[in-house]
């Protein structure tokens, strides 16, 4: 590796033409994580681009002493040690709104699957079981939905539900923008038919859905839709609630490869329950990825140009 050109670490997938554009301005190193970079690449890396599946915690940042910019084409930042980024003056570039509508589309689709019990019917078909009479669904429009988290994705879910005539509100929190409908937490747990989790993973939200939370919502037998992080939920407690008929259904999107064994255990425990899971596919839509990838490359080129000019 040459010592003169800045190193850009691409810790995600980018199309070859986009990598070629970057290659005209920097030394591009493609890897799955920081640990896969060579020591020299880690030492000289100026810019990292990554998505939600790649960790950039304190340990990884310590391996990148020359890092000046992190480019995140998407919404969530709970895989990034934001405190360390801020303390070191590293600039974080994020494009959250582009993918939010696609994630909301998936959330509403997953909720529809639950309301019509399609996931359960599909799993029974795989087992050779035909039981249409046990698959009576209900109308999405009849559900009272509460959204936990009013960031770009939570707001997009609210908008999409509104387009379908489905009422929704946000659990009251200082971060909810003015003008949006809010519901007190006690009212949300006592009266909602659907709980959509769209909060970031933080110490205060880790396993926010636990046995105690599930006990509070049990009288309503709600649907649970998790489009945040897997760790927001105690999956063993959710499995028990589903088997015990204290939840009407659960849609789980944040399923990554590292969770395969745990998810398999959850799906096995809920084989006869109304469950649907997808592979963290919120932003996996070709038009969205195209826009985000192009934006990420242009942002990196702008960063490199600014650094070259000394600004």
């Amino acid at each position: 590796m040459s010592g003169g050109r800045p190193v850009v670490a691409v810790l995600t997938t980018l199309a070859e033409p986009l990598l070629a554009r970057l290659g005209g301005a920097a030394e591009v190193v493609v890897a799955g994580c920081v640990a896969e970079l060579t020591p020299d690449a880690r030492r000289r890396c100026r810019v990292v681009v990554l998505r939600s599946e790649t960790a950039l915690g304190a340990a990884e940042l310590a391996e990148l002493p020359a890092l000046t910019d992190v480019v995140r084409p998407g919404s969530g930042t709970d895989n990034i040690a934001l405190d360390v980024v801020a303390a070191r003056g590293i600039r974080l570039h994020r494009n959250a709104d582009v993918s939010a509508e696609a994630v909301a589309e998936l959330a509403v689709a997953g909720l529809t699957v639950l309301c019509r019990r399609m996931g359960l019917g599909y799993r029974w078909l795989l087992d050779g079981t035909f039981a249409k009479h046990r698959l009576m669904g209900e109308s999405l429009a009849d559900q009272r939905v509460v959204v936990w988290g009013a960031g770009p994705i939570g707001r997009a879910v609210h908008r999409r539900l509104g387009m379908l005539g489905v009422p929704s509100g946000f659990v009251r929190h200082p971060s909810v923008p003015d003008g949006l409908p809010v519901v007190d937490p006690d009212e949300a747990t006592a009266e909602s038919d659907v709980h959509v989790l769209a909060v970031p993973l933080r110490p205060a939200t880790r396993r926010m859905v636990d046995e105690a939370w599930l006990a509070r919502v049990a009288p309503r037998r709600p649907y649970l839709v998790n489009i945040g992080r897997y760790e927001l939920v105690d999956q063993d407690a959710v499995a028990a609630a589903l088997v015990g008929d204290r939840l009407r259904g659960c849609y789980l999107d944040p399923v990554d490869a590292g969770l395969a064994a745990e998810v398999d255990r959850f799906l096995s425990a809920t084989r006869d329950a109304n469950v649907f899971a997808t592979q963290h596919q919120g932003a996996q839509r070709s038009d969205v990825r195209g826009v985000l990838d192009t934006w990420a490359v242009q942002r990196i080129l702008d960063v490199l140009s600014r650094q070259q000019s000394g600004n």
Side-chain angles (χ1 to χ4, degrees):
M1 300 174 71
S2 62
R5 304 183 80 205
V7 168
V8 172
V10 178
L11 306 183
T12 183
T13 56
L14 289 177
E16 287 298 329
L18 293 175
L19 290 174
R21 283 187 64 195
L22 285 179
E27 187 168 339
V28 178
V29 181
V30 179
C33 60
V34 170
E36 293 180 4
L37 300 172
T38 66
D40 187 56
R42 293 197 293 269
R43 178 178 60 82
R44 295 195 293 115
C45 179
R46 303 292 291 275
V47 184
V48 165
V49 57
L50 78 167
R51 288 190 171 84
S52 60
E53 69 273 11
T54 304
L56 193 63
E60 288 82 11
L61 287 164
E63 295 292 321
L64 305 171
L67 187 69
T68 62
D69 294 80
V70 175
V71 177
R72 166 68 171 102
S75 180
T77 56
D78 43 30
N79 56 321
I80 302 170
L82 297 178
D83 55 342
V84 178
V85 168
R88 286 179 47 181
I90 298 169
R91 289 175 290 271
L92 175 63
H93 310 264
R94 193 163 66 110
N95 192 335
D97 293 325
V98 172
S99 60
E101 293 296 336
V103 178
E105 177 184 64
L106 197 71
V108 175
L111 176 56
T112 303
V113 167
L114 294 182
C115 287
R116 298 303 306 273
R117 299 171 66 83
M118 288 185 279
L120 181 57
Y122 177 71
R123 293 171 76 179
W124 284 352
L125 281 176
L126 294 178
D127 294 336
T129 299
F130 295 85
K132 177 180 175 178
H133 63 285
R134 295 171 58 192
L135 295 170
M136 183 64 68
E138 55 187 332
S139 172
L140 175 63
D142 291 339
Q143 309 307 314
R144 181 178 180 183
V145 181
V146 67
V147 182
W148 296 74
I153 291 173
R155 297 196 303 272
V157 170
H158 173 68
R159 287 193 299 270
R160 185 164 287 270
L161 288 170
M163 294 167 57
L164 298 172
V166 181
S168 66
F170 297 90
V171 177
R172 189 181 298 279
H173 189 273
S175 64
V176 179
D178 292 339
L180 293 177
V182 295
V183 181
D184 288 329
D186 289 343
E187 181 183 352
T189 53
E191 300 184 14
S192 299
D193 298 300
V194 181
H195 295 267
V196 178
L197 306 184
V199 295
L201 181 63
R202 300 284 186 262
T205 60
R206 184 178 294 273
R207 292 201 169 193
M208 60 178 281
V209 174
D210 57 11
E211 290 184 0
W213 188 94
L214 290 163
R216 290 195 297 273
V217 303
R220 194 77 179 188
R221 288 187 60 250
Y223 295 106
L224 180 64
V225 175
N226 183 3
I227 52 170
R229 284 287 188 174
Y230 189 86
E231 295 86 355
L232 296 174
V233 173
D234 180 342
Q235 290 300 147
D236 289 337
V238 169
L242 286 162
V243 173
D245 202 30
R246 290 178 282 122
L247 285 176
R248 270 180 273 178
C250 175
Y251 170 49
L252 178 67
D253 175 57
V255 175
D256 292 317
L259 297 168
E262 191 169 344
V263 172
D264 181 66
R265 182 165 59 88
F266 172 73
L267 293 176
S268 296
T270 58
R271 173 162 291 280
D272 288 322
N274 189 17
V275 171
F276 183 55
T278 50
Q279 300 184 33
H280 213 161
Q281 294 168 235
Q284 288 295 100
R285 212 174 71 186
S286 58
D287 58 330
V288 172
R289 283 296 296 265
V291 170
L292 285 175
D293 289 357
T294 300
W295 169 85
V297 168
Q298 186 57 56
R299 183 55 58 96
I300 294 169
L301 293 174
D302 292 344
V303 166
L304 296 173
S305 176
R306 185 182 67 244
Q307 290 180 352
Q308 190 173 23
S309 66
N311 296 324

